[in-house]
Amino acid sequence: MGIVISTFEWVPPFAQGNVKDMRPRWALAEAGLEYEVHPLKPGEADGADYRRWQPFGQVPAYRDDTVALFESGAILLHIAQLSDVLRPRDTQEAADVTSWVFSALSTVEPRVEGMILPKLFNAGEAWVAGWTSHAERLVELRLKSLSAHLEGRDWLAGRFSVADIVMVTVLRGLRNEPVLARYPVVAAYLQRGLARPGFEAAMAAQIETFAAHAPA
Ligand SMILES: N[C@@H](CCC(=O)N[C@@H](CS)C(=O)NCC(=O)O)C(=O)O
């Protein structure tokens, strides 16, 4: 069977490149591991078969010859174990990678998404402007802490790791936001991550899946 990850068959252009199967795609590209995609047909995410694989009906889900997993962070920590390139070198580095995967997902991502998703999905609604300036202040507190940690470092936890894949894909949501420009250390880290060939390969692969299923 090999490695299989789920994605949507197609999403509108504004979401292309942002769907979270970017994370396992990027990790697998860094590790040089082949994979297949399972593109979900409309309605399939609500079906009992898929819910057994991903109980919330979200993407990505992952399986290989040994395990099935859901949640992008869990998937990336598993992929790291499959690869000499991504596996942390010692116990402390492994602990640091785990900490940073969780902090990207539970400490940083909710604030970033809290700021940018209303602008995408609730554009023009009266409450969005006031909420956005509040949400931006909450994001800024996280960027300040992240900037202090990244000062003098290229990556979050020693060498490049799956924690950087998660954090960079989270921060990418801020790439056009003025708040990011106020934190040049974080902005440079984001650019460093996005410049990796593995990111470009993941992006090309995700776009290829959507192009193959584009509505007529
Ligand atoms: N915490 C999940 C979030 C996954 C997620 O938000 N996936 C989105 C696509 S980027 C999705 O499936 N949205 C549809 C839904 O939530 O029903 C993870 O990191 O895997």
Side-chain angles (χ1 to χ4, degrees):
M1 171 173 85
I3 294 172
V4 181
I5 59 171
S6 69
T7 182
F8 295 123
E9 215 175 49
W10 183 82
V11 296
F14 80 86
Q16 297 189 8
N18 300 321
V19 184
K20 291 181 175 103
D21 58 273
M22 279 294 292
R23 293 170 181 167
R25 285 182 189 273
W26 184 357
L28 292 164
E30 294 278 350
L33 294 170
E34 297 291 323
Y35 63 95
E36 287 176 21
V37 287
H38 177 112
L40 295 177
K41 297 189 185 341
E44 190 179 344
D46 294 324
D49 281 353
Y50 188 64
R51 293 286 168 139
R52 271 193 291 278
W53 192 12
Q54 213 298 0
F56 297 93
Q58 297 181 310
V59 305
Y62 168 104
R63 63 172 178 258
D64 60 25
D65 294 328
T66 317
V67 293
L69 286 166
F70 64 98
E71 282 293 336
S72 59
I75 294 168
L76 262 58
L77 288 169
H78 173 72
I79 292 171
Q81 294 306 315
L82 304 179
S83 148
D84 285 340
V85 180
L86 290 174
R87 195 180 300 121
R89 280 168 298 197
D90 62 38
T91 311
Q92 185 58 54
E93 195 173 296
D96 290 342
V97 169
T98 304
S99 297
W100 281 105
V101 165
F102 273 83
S103 73
L105 291 171
S106 63
T107 305
V108 182
E109 182 164 63
R111 292 201 173 182
V112 170
E113 291 199 335
M115 178 182 154
I116 61 175
L117 294 187
K119 290 203 279 184
L120 282 174
F121 293 108
N122 305 84
E125 293 178 28
W127 59 275
V128 172
W131 166 256
T132 299
S133 63
H134 168 70
E136 187 177 299
R137 283 195 294 280
L138 296 179
V139 165
E140 186 144 17
L141 289 173
R142 297 302 188 232
L143 294 183
K144 198 172 170 192
S145 303
L146 199 51
S147 182
H149 176 76
L150 286 169
E151 189 75 52
R153 288 185 168 90
D154 278 349
W155 305 113
L156 290 170
R159 63 181 178 163
F160 178 82
S161 74
V162 292
D164 298 298
I165 293 177
V166 183
M167 190 67 88
V168 165
T169 52
V170 168
L171 294 172
R172 186 169 171 271
L174 299 173
R175 63 195 179 284
N176 299 319
E177 298 290 340
V179 68
L180 181 65
R182 295 202 285 277
Y183 293 88
V185 169
V186 182
Y189 165 74
L190 173 61
Q191 287 314 315
R192 220 165 17 254
L194 298 180
R196 292 181 74 90
F199 174 82
E200 288 173 23
M203 178 66 86
Q206 183 173 94
I207 299 296
E208 189 181 309
T209 299
F210 297 146
H213 299 92

